[in-house]
Amino acid sequence: GENVEQHPSTLSVQEGDSAVIKCTYSDSASNYFPWYKQELGKRPQLIIDIRSNVGEKKDQRIAVTLNKTAKHFSLHITETQPEDSAVYFCAASRRNNRLAFGKGNQVVVIP
Amino acid sequence: KAGVTQTPRYLIKTRGQQVTLSCSPISGHRSVSWYQQTPGQGLQFLFEYFSETQRNKGNFPGRFSGRQFSNSRSEMNVSTLELGDSALYLCASSLDTTNTGELFFGEGSRLTVL
């Protein structure tokens, strides 16, 4: 089955700087790559996703890039703010298969 | 529209007991997935149900089981509880039928095994 790995496990950034989280996946047939954000004590929520027919997608301060050849995808957060502090999970799946999550990255934005 | 509802929110059990957790998906969502969340292990997939059928299963022992009813509500059961089963159990529903769409998570059921 699909195996997703995230690096680094913890990332500290100064407010206003950019943060980048990278994930790798194992199943070359995976075609859906979402990112979920989980604030402390809350449920995970989808913040952005990308499908394999697209190389990059942006939504305001966040963007996701996908490299199918290398089987990795990354989350980019620009102009970080304190409310960006959370655990971010990447995931991957293909049609009718389970959505496999990485172990999560703790992002800490230092004011 | 009501979100995903999980009950109970908190429960404490002792080793050897069994537990049943319930999940009511968003109205109209037919896919329900269950995940176990523990510190450092992220979201580990337990199983996924679609139209009352288990469509996918994770790598958990047979003590973990689930089912889905005709109204899409789902339950998961853990028998012969072990200390390592202490975790937050998250249920998620999806309108998408192919596992390539947004998951809507409930707030979880936090299980403590003593």
Side-chain angles (χ1 to χ4, degrees):
Chain A
E2 175 64 271
N3 182 49
V4 178
E5 295 191 359
Q6 285 185 247
H7 303 279
S9 58
T10 304
L11 178 64
S12 295
V13 295
Q14 289 292 138
E15 183 178 353
D17 287 350
S18 295
V20 181
I21 306 169
K22 180 178 174 179
C23 284
T24 59
Y25 61 99
S26 62
D27 186 353
S28 57
S30 288
N31 59 0
Y32 177 64
F33 308 91
W35 285 88
Y36 283 78
K37 175 183 180 182
Q38 186 176 31
E39 298 177 25
L40 188 62
K42 297 189 176 181
R43 70 189 80 187
Q45 290 188 297
L46 178 73
I47 55 171
I48 195 167
D49 58 13
I50 192 169
R51 299 183 189 272
S52 59
N53 58 348
V54 176
E56 183 176 3
K57 184 176 179 180
K58 291 183 180 180
D59 183 2
Q60 299 183 345
R61 294 186 300 107
I62 61 173
V64 57
T65 57
L66 172 65
N67 184 326
K68 288 186 292 183
T69 303
K71 289 193 286 187
H72 68 71
F73 56 112
S74 301
L75 178 70
H76 304 253
I77 307 173
T78 58
E79 301 173 14
T80 53
Q81 301 170 4
E83 54 264 36
D84 295 329
S85 293
V87 176
Y88 291 81
F89 293 97
C90 62
S93 73
R94 57 185 168 98
R95 187 180 179 86
N96 294 330
N97 273 36
R98 67 183 179 95
L99 185 64
F101 283 87
K103 292 186 177 181
N105 291 97
Q106 175 74 59
V107 173
V108 178
V109 179
I110 304 167
Chain B
K1 185 183 274 191
V4 177
T5 305
Q6 291 188 246
T7 57
R9 292 289 316 282
Y10 303 92
L11 64 166
I12 300 173
K13 294 285 187 178
T14 57
R15 281 180 297 175
Q17 287 187 311
Q18 74 162 11
V19 65
T20 298
L21 309 178
S22 179
C23 172
S24 293
I26 292 172
S27 178
H29 288 194
R30 289 190 291 157
S31 171
V32 174
S33 299
W34 289 88
Y35 289 86
Q36 181 194 66
Q37 185 172 25
T38 53
Q41 293 301 312
L43 298 166
Q44 294 187 286
F45 177 78
L46 282 156
F47 25 66
E48 183 237 344
Y49 288 88
F50 178 74
S51 293
E52 302 178 65
T53 300
Q54 186 180 84
R55 183 160 62 172
N56 289 288
K57 188 178 189 302
N59 298 321
F60 279 80
R63 299 185 298 107
F64 292 80
S65 63
R67 59 178 175 169
Q68 186 180 36
F69 302 95
S70 59
N71 61 358
S72 293
R73 189 177 72 85
S74 178
E75 288 182 346
M76 68 163 281
N77 182 276
V78 188
S79 62
T80 319
L81 284 166
E82 300 177 359
L83 295 178
D85 297 333
S86 295
L88 179 68
Y89 290 88
L90 289 165
C91 163
S93 73
S94 178
L95 183 62
D96 181 83
T97 60
T98 63
N99 278 334
T100 55
E102 182 173 3
L103 293 184
F104 294 85
F105 284 88
E107 294 187 319
S109 293
R110 184 165 295 281
L111 170 64
T112 301
V113 182
L114 302 176

